[in-house]
Amino acid sequence: MALINAEPYSLDLDPLRAALIIIDMQRDFLEPGGFGAALGNDVSLLRWTIAPCRQLLAQARMAGLTVIHTREGHRPDLADLPPTKKACGRLPVALGDAGPMGRILVRSGDGHDIIPELYPMPGEPIIDKPGKGAFHATDLDALLKNRGIAQLIVCGVTTEVCVHTTVREANDRGYECVVAADCAGSYFPEFHEIGLRMIAAQGGIFGWIAPSADIIPALAEPGRSGGCR
Ligand code: C5J
């Protein structure tokens, strides 16, 4: 066990029972010319998370942690896309339509895939999720339980949407979550800040927050040999 200097108080991390989960670092959300940018968002507000995420990912891999990636997206026949989600926002281009990088948030288009900087290594599970939360309509819970994982280090985009929903779902299922604050981001900086504060408020109502620099030393727990699980 290793203590992470976190808010609202230190978290005892057991790297043998912890996983890193990277939420929706997909080209359509992060790349100039993708769906997010086409909607008028400033993707640079998400892109500053890439470097710290890469560092956290590299250290988690070196420490032999389970690393899980998620992608938000739908079946090509859109059978899992609720009409309410398709209609949401009355956007000029809707989910499932042809977008700048293939069909928007459909599990085939280039935009749906994970950015090259954080691309999964062979053997790292990818959870394709139709919703905001990574537990909804996926096998994530089974995967974690079968590996004996009880603690999640969470990063990705966006803080107040898919990161938040996943942390809330995980909390309800009994997982301890720490969000790596500098490895999560939002198109709305104020939502990022408030989103983090909401997690740690009220004695850590949904979990913990900590900078990645305070999480990384806990991964390299003395005596841990590393290697893939
Ligand atoms: C959104 C996400 N914002 N990954 N998705 O629709 O947060």
Side-chain angles (χ1 to χ4, degrees), residues 23-24 29 72 129 132 157-158 161-162:
I23 304 291
D24 299 358
F29 291 129
E72 181 177 353
K129 62 187 188 59
K132 308 292 189 288
V157 299
T158 61
V161 185
C162 292

Side-chain angles (χ1 to χ4, degrees), residues 4-200:
I4 296 176
N5 183 22
E7 285 179 47
Y9 52 86
S10 300
L11 170 67
D12 227 347
L13 188 87
D14 178 359
L16 290 169
R17 302 198 332 128
L20 173 67
I21 179 161
I22 305 177
I23 304 291
D24 299 358
M25 294 294 275
Q26 293 164 256
R27 296 185 59 198
D28 252 336
F29 291 129
L30 285 125
E31 289 195 354
F35 175 51
L39 293 180
N41 293 305
D42 175 2
V43 295
S44 71
L45 292 167
L46 302 190
R47 290 191 67 79
W48 62 260
T49 64
I50 297 173
C53 266
R54 264 172 76 92
Q55 172 81 350
L56 182 59
L57 174 60
Q59 297 295 325
R61 282 173 173 159
M62 254 179 6
L65 249 71
T66 288
V67 174
I68 295 167
H69 307 259
T70 73
R71 297 184 296 201
E72 181 177 353
H74 296 274
R75 296 161 45 110
D77 64 5
L78 305 184
D80 59 354
L81 176 60
T84 47
K85 187 174 179 187
K86 187 165 173 62
C88 177
R90 298 178 179 170
L91 302 173
V93 276
L95 303 198
D97 292 351
M101 293 185 195
R103 291 181 68 199
I104 294 163
L105 295 193
V106 169
R107 293 177 194 160
S108 56
D110 289 344
H112 171 260
D113 211 354
I114 292 170
I115 57 170
E117 295 91 331
L118 297 170
Y119 211 75
M121 291 210 331
E124 290 176 351
I126 301 173
I127 302 291
D128 277 321
K129 62 187 188 59
K132 308 292 189 288
F135 289 85
H136 168 68
T138 73
D139 52 10
L140 176 60
D141 194 40
L143 188 155
L144 296 173
K145 293 227 159 70
N146 291 339
R147 292 181 184 217
I149 287 165
Q151 296 179 312
L152 300 177
I153 300 161
V154 187
C155 58
V157 299
T158 61
T159 310
E160 77 280 13
V161 185
C162 292
V163 171
H164 233 266
T165 308
T166 299
V167 167
R168 289 169 184 240
E169 288 181 325
N171 179 266
D172 275 344
R173 286 164 176 77
Y175 297 95
E176 291 183 318
C177 295
V178 56
V179 176
D182 52 325
C183 300
S186 169
Y187 298 122
F188 306 92
E190 67 275 27
F191 291 174
H192 172 73
E193 290 306 326
I194 290 285
L196 292 177
R197 280 173 51 198
M198 286 169 71
I199 289 166

